[in-house]
Structures are given as structure tokens and as C-alpha cells.
Amino acid sequence: MAEVLVLVEHARGAVKKVTLELLTAARSLGVPGAVVFGPPGTAAALADRLAEYGAVAVHAAEADDIDDYLVAPKVDVLAAMVTDRAPTALLVASTAESREVAARVAVRTGNGLITDAVGLDADRTATQSIFGGAVTVRSTVRTGTAVITMRPNSVDAVPAPAGVELHPVPVSLSDEARRSRIVERVEEARSSRPELAEASVVVSGGRGVGSAANFAVIEQLADALGAAVGASRAATDAGWYPHSAQVGQTGVTVSPQLYIAAGISGAIQHRAGMQTSKTIIAINKDPEAPIFEIADFGVVGDLFAVVPQLVEELARRAG
Amino acid sequence: MNTVVLVKQVPDTWAERSLSSADKTLNREGVDAVINELDEYAVEEALRLKEAHGGTVTVLSMGPARVTETIRKVLSMGVDAGIHVTDDALHGSDAIQTARAIAAALGTVGWDLVLTGVESTDARMSVLPALLAELLGVAQLSRARAVTVDGQVVRIERSTDDGYQVVEATLPAVLSVVEKINEPRYPSFKGIMQAKSKPVTTLGVADLGLAAGEVGLAAAYSQVTEVDQRLDRQVGQVVKDEGDGGVKIADYLVARKLV
Ligand SMILES: Cc1cc2nc3c(=O)[nH]c(=O)nc-3n(C[C@H](O)[C@H](O)[C@H](O)COP(=O)(O)OP(=O)(O)OC[C@H]3O[C@@H](n4cnc5c(N)ncnc54)[C@H](O)[C@@H]3O)c2cc1C
């Protein structure tokens, strides 16, 4: 059966949820092989988790300094693997860096590229949601390997335990791969909440929240639901919440089970980043706000009354 | 330092956008065409770098005849010259072919830095800067929210999902900027007048050394097979808060098994 390579996303020693989703999607196309980048020892620590979701091989592309350079080292390794192994597909998450890796691998190996798929069929046909969610298209790749980036939360991760083998992949960083050096990493919004792009539930606040301090109201609801906190551009531009929490065209694209928008009007640029959410709930005091056009359930009212009451009600019912 | 800034003409985000039923490419007819607003930040950054370090700024855009409007707009912001890559054979090119054509066009001029916006508001792939760095064999510095140039060394703050990374490279490089980086200027009246006499070079597929069969819809590596323009979202229920809005949402969440 054909091989499908999956680029593994991991942080702080754990495989990210999106990778488990990609492995699940990969199983419908062929036999999944996971590719792990990091310092020596990274892959071995992740192998069991990857095997639980059906990876039969874990390719360990490890070097002490591989994380010190942007994009290019991963391209070198993956392009060589695609050329040698001719997998039917290379699946990566639609994150900023992985998408760039995918694009460069596609052009270097002469293969077609599909970005931001929200669904994938066994024949490699991908579904994409475009123009802020207004249009759905289905696309295929005509070349031997389809390079596809998938939006987190597009498929449910389902375990399918496999016996896994660890394969070291030789890594030698060329001068070309060292062109863009990462000299510092700064995390601005580290919190104990789930990561925005991957979260199953997202609670977002907009200009209606009114101040940085008032975002506590949004955070309380997020914590009651185990959700990530998002924000509109109006809120991040005002400095009420970090830019990394911005949902939309120029922020993060999310596709959670549940998206709650409070004090957000629903401008097209905001919708572009959340319209494929499975269920959308809106709280806005303006009955004409465009967010209601895409909401499954909306409440016209003051978020400072509705949100705290919802938090209380959830606590009472859980209680 | 000589910079080429790339801009794309796109259908207005606020307009109804669609794909053509004939060949499933973007419908450009009957829709207001505007400069991809995210590219204005790249133009602004190019002009600021020129003000600080000297050199020239050239705008390059690929697309049909009316793209000249967008090129003139960018020239009126203060950019020195324009390159318009246009050819019927390019119609329907996918991202990789577009990158190949642009890389070839960049080969016709000298530059130290190629500047782009973070993505186009129509296709939203956000891969062109990476593709160009690959094809041109230069450093990739993408998603910059701040840029400093010191001699041949360029340093950026690359915005990431949880903050930023400081990334450094030596020129030449391809640099893309996010919209947090600056506030684009408006064209001045003088700028608009001067733009009329600035040089714009037109390049076709033959000028790029590409064969017509290498680009365009028929040669694309990926292909759109189906288009569904219906909104699959059902119109939802909207209620007015009568002092029980929070409870009603809780009821809804419980009924849908979302909590
Ligand atoms: C190039 C470009 C890129 C962009 N990218 C993004 C992006 O990535 N993400 C993004 O979000 N936007 C983006 N925008 C901005 C977008 O166009 C809107 O300006 C922005 O989304 C508005 O944010 P908002 O809904 O919070 O604010 P507003 O549109 O001002 O809406 C605030 C809403 O809050 C409601 N409200 C006020 N007080 C209360 C209250 N007490 N209770 C309940 N409701 C209340 C109001 O009725 C109103 O509907 C972009 C714009 C451009 C030009």
C-alpha cells in the first residue's frame, strides 16, 4: 500500500493534536509514516503516541541545531524523502511554518500543492473553504505526490494502534539551509489554556469588551468551557489582548467544534478565520450585526450581562 | 539597497466573490479590483527602507491588463518604476507556476530585497514568499512584524502563533511583512501626478524565457474539480436577551451536547 508522510508538530515533548488528526486522515490514503524534527532523542519520546494513531514508521530527522534555522532544513530532509520514497501524499498542518515547508518541498520536488484543506478523500481530493467561507471547492493534485496542508480540527483524531519502527534519517545542514537563523524565540501569550488553532472550543472577544481588564469576562467563560481565548483585530489593535490571539484573515484561522463571539461585529476579515467552526454562538447588542448571519445561535444583548450569567449557569449545572 | 515589491490585484474583499463556471478560476469580471490591502504594508516598508538606506524601489505585479491601475497606484505612493508581467498564457496558473513566472521576471532586474505582503486576500495561501526564496535560492524572511537592515544583514521579528522569533539573514532575501508592521501612506497629489510619467515595463511569457505550456491552467499541478457556491450554513436562531440570555445559551449547549 502507498505510503503517506506526515510532518509531526510537537511542543514541550508532546505531539500536537493536529498531527493525530493528520495521521487519521493519512490512514484513508495509505500507510502513515511520521517525520519528526528536533534534537536527538525527540522522535523516540514521541513514537508511542504516534503509533497509537497508526504511524507504522517514525522517521527521526534529528540534529542539535536543526531548530535554529527557519524552514529550509526541514525542506532539505522532506524533499529528499519525497524524492526517494515517492509517497502518495505529504500531509502537514496549516500552520505558518509548516505551510511554508510544504510549499518549498512541492516546488523542489515538482509536485502539486493544496493548502488549508478542511477535508480529504481516499483519492486525494481535498476540500477547501474559500472567500471567507462563502465558497467550497474540491481540488486534486495531478502529480505523483500530493503535498497537502490541513486546517486543524478538520478531521476527528481516531486511534488505530500500530507497531512502530524508528528510522533515523541522516541530517546534514548545508550552508543554504542555514541562511535564515533564528536568534531568539519569544512567547508572548503562554497560558495554561489550549492552543488557539487547535482548541475544540474558542471564546473570542471584540471591541465590545471595551478594555484589557474586561477581557477577564471572556477568560472566565473560556475557562468554564476549557476553551482557548481569541480576539478580533479591533481588540488586539487596541492592545487589550496579544496579537497571537487574533482570529481572522491576518490572524489565526480556527475551526473548532464551538466558537463563541462576544462583542464582535463579524466583519468579513474576522469571518475568514472562523467561519468553518462547527457551531457558532454570537452575543452582540446590535441585532443588525453581521455575525448573526452566520451564528447557529445568537443572543441580542449586553455581553456583560449574558456572559457572566452563562458562566454561572454552567457552574450550577456542573455543580 | 534595491528592492522589488510585489503586489497583487484582487477582487474587493467586500464584494461578492466567485469562481468562473467555465474554468473554475477567479471571476474578475464585474467585480471591483483593488490592490491586495496586505501588500500596501510591503510597499510602505519598501519606501521606509529606501528613505533610510537609499536605492530604488520597483513594483512588480502579475495579472491581466487592468493590473496597470494597481501599478499606477503604487507608483503614486512613491515607488520609482513598475514591471507588469502579463500574458494570456498565464491565466489559471497555480501558486507554483505563479512563483516561477515571478522568479523569472525578477531575473530581469537587479535587486537585494524582494518584499511582499503576508498573503493575498483572495487566495490566502501565504506561500509565495517561501516559494520565491526556494526558486531564487536566497534567504527566506517571512511574516515580519519589524525589520531592521544593517549593511548586508537583515533582522526581523517573525510573528508566530504564540509570539515572535528574531530571525537574521544576509542579503539577498525575500521578506514578507504582516499588517502590524506599519501604517501605509496615502498617495499625495504630487505623487499621483508624478506616477503618470514613471516607467512601467511589460513582460510576457516569452520575455521570461518560459514556454507557454509551462504555465497556465492546463499545466497546473493542482486543479479545482468542483465548486459549491452555496452557503451550507443554515440560518440560526437569534433571541433577544430578556434577562435569561446566558441561561438560553447554556440550554442550547446542553441540547447540542456541546458541554
Ligand atoms: C487587511 C485587513 C485585515 C484584517 N484582519 C482581521 C483579522 O484577522 N481579524 C479580525 O477580527 N479583523 C480583521 N480586520 C478588521 C475587520 O475589518 C474589523 O474591523 C474587525 O474585525 C472589527 O472588530 P470587532 O468586531 O471587535 O469590532 P467592531 O466592528 O467595532 O464591532 C464591535 C461589536 O461589539 C458590539 N458591542 C459593543 N458593546 C457591546 C456589549 N456591551 N455587548 C455586546 N456587544 C457589544 C457592537 O454592537 C459591535 O457589533 C482586518 C481588516 C483589514 C483591512
Side-chain angles (χ1 to χ4, degrees), chain A residues 134-148:
Chain A
V135 178
T136 302
V137 300
R138 314 233 313 136
S139 310
T140 54
V141 161
R142 292 167 168 162
T143 56
T145 300
V147 181
I148 299 174

Side-chain angles (χ1 to χ4, degrees), chain A residues 38-175:
Chain A
T42 308
L46 306 177
D48 285 346
R49 184 77 171 145
L50 296 167
E52 214 181 306
Y53 285 81
V56 299
V58 173
H59 304 279
E62 298 179 332
D64 283 321
D65 57 352
I66 196 153
D67 290 336
D68 295 348
Y69 301 92
L70 198 63
V71 176
K74 293 178 178 153
V75 177
D76 282 358
V77 170
L78 287 171
M81 290 183 74
V82 165
T83 304
D84 288 352
R85 309 174 71 92
T88 186
L90 167 64
L91 303 186
V92 314
S94 260
T95 58
E97 182 173 26
S98 295
R99 197 196 316 225
E100 294 175 335
V101 170
R104 293 182 65 159
V105 170
V107 72
R108 195 179 296 180
T109 59
N111 281 297
L113 171 71
I114 290 177
T115 55
D116 224 17
V118 294
L120 187 58
D121 297 351
D123 68 354
R124 308 195 305 184
T125 302
T127 306
Q128 292 160 294
S129 168
I130 62 169
F131 300 151
V135 178
T136 302
V137 300
R138 314 233 313 136
S139 310
T140 54
V141 161
R142 292 167 168 162
T143 56
T145 300
V147 181
I148 299 174
T149 85
M150 288 197 77
R151 195 177 282 186
N153 283 324
S154 296
V155 281
D156 290 330
V158 180
V164 74
E165 265 180 59
L166 205 59
H167 301 285
V169 180
V171 178
S172 67
L173 263 61
S174 62
D175 285 349

Side-chain angles (χ1 to χ4, degrees), chain A residues 205-210 215 231-237 240 243 245-252 259 261-274 283-292 299-307, chain B residues 13-14 36-39 41 119 121 124 179-180:
Chain A
R207 198 193 306 275
V209 175
F215 253 86
S232 73
R233 177 161 166 195
T236 61
D237 274 358
W240 301 341
H243 178 222
Q246 184 173 315
V247 171
Q249 166 115 42
T250 46
V252 181
Y259 187 88
I264 293 178
S265 62
I268 183 124
Q269 294 93 347
H270 187 77
R271 281 151 65 157
M274 46 66 75
I283 303 155
N284 195 304
K285 66 181 183 190
D286 174 9
E288 305 293 321
I291 191 78
F292 288 126
V299 173
V300 179
D302 184 351
L303 74 92
F304 296 106
V306 176
V307 174
Chain B
T13 307
W14 305 99
N36 171 37
E37 48 200 326
L38 296 171
D39 294 342
Y41 301 90
E119 68 179 32
T121 55
R124 298 201 63 210
E179 95 288 5
K180 299 278 161 185

Side-chain angles (χ1 to χ4, degrees), chain B residues 80-237:
Chain B
D80 303 305
I83 299 173
H84 183 191
V85 180
T86 187
D87 201 310
D88 289 344
L90 292 166
H91 173 79
S93 290
D94 63 14
I96 290 177
Q97 296 172 312
T98 300
R100 280 195 207 288
I102 291 174
L106 287 166
T108 66
V109 285
W111 48 268
D112 306 292
L113 191 64
V114 172
L115 250 165
T116 79
V118 68
E119 68 179 32
S120 59
T121 55
D122 56 348
R124 298 201 63 210
M125 292 180 73
S126 199
V127 293
L128 194 81
L131 289 171
L132 285 175
E134 175 72 28
L135 291 169
L136 296 164
V138 301
Q140 174 190 329
L141 292 169
S142 42
R143 308 183 61 82
R145 59 175 217 180
V147 180
T148 50
V149 178
D150 183 4
Q152 291 297 298
V153 178
V154 185
R155 198 177 245 250
I156 66 162
E157 281 178 20
R158 169 181 166 89
S159 68
T160 60
D161 286 348
D162 57 8
Y164 66 94
Q165 298 168 342
V166 179
V167 185
E168 200 176 84
T170 305
L171 292 173
V174 176
L175 178 75
S176 73
V177 301
V178 299
E179 95 288 5
K180 299 278 161 185
I181 196 166
N182 59 38
E183 201 51 64
R185 69 193 66 188
Y186 289 102
S188 65
F189 179 70
K190 191 168 148 229
I192 294 168
M193 296 314 289
Q194 285 173 342
K196 297 191 168 129
S197 55
K198 287 179 177 170
V200 177
T201 313
T202 302
L203 299 174
V205 164
D207 304 309
L208 303 179
L210 296 171
E214 277 181 78
V215 289
L217 191 57
Y221 289 157
S222 55
Q223 183 191 22
V224 174
T225 53
E226 274 172 60
V227 178
D228 187 351
Q229 325 243 23
R230 282 171 302 141
L231 257 186
D232 54 4
R233 210 163 251 298
Q234 302 287 320
V235 178
Q237 186 194 357

Side-chain angles (χ1 to χ4, degrees), chain A residues 9 15-19 21 93 95 152-153 194-202 228 252-256:
Chain A
E9 305 272 331
V15 177
K16 289 202 185 176
K17 189 176 104 191
V18 64
T19 299
E21 297 165 4
T95 58
N153 283 324
E195 195 180 307
L196 183 57
E198 296 209 326
S200 307
V201 182
V202 174
V252 181
T253 298
V254 299
S255 202

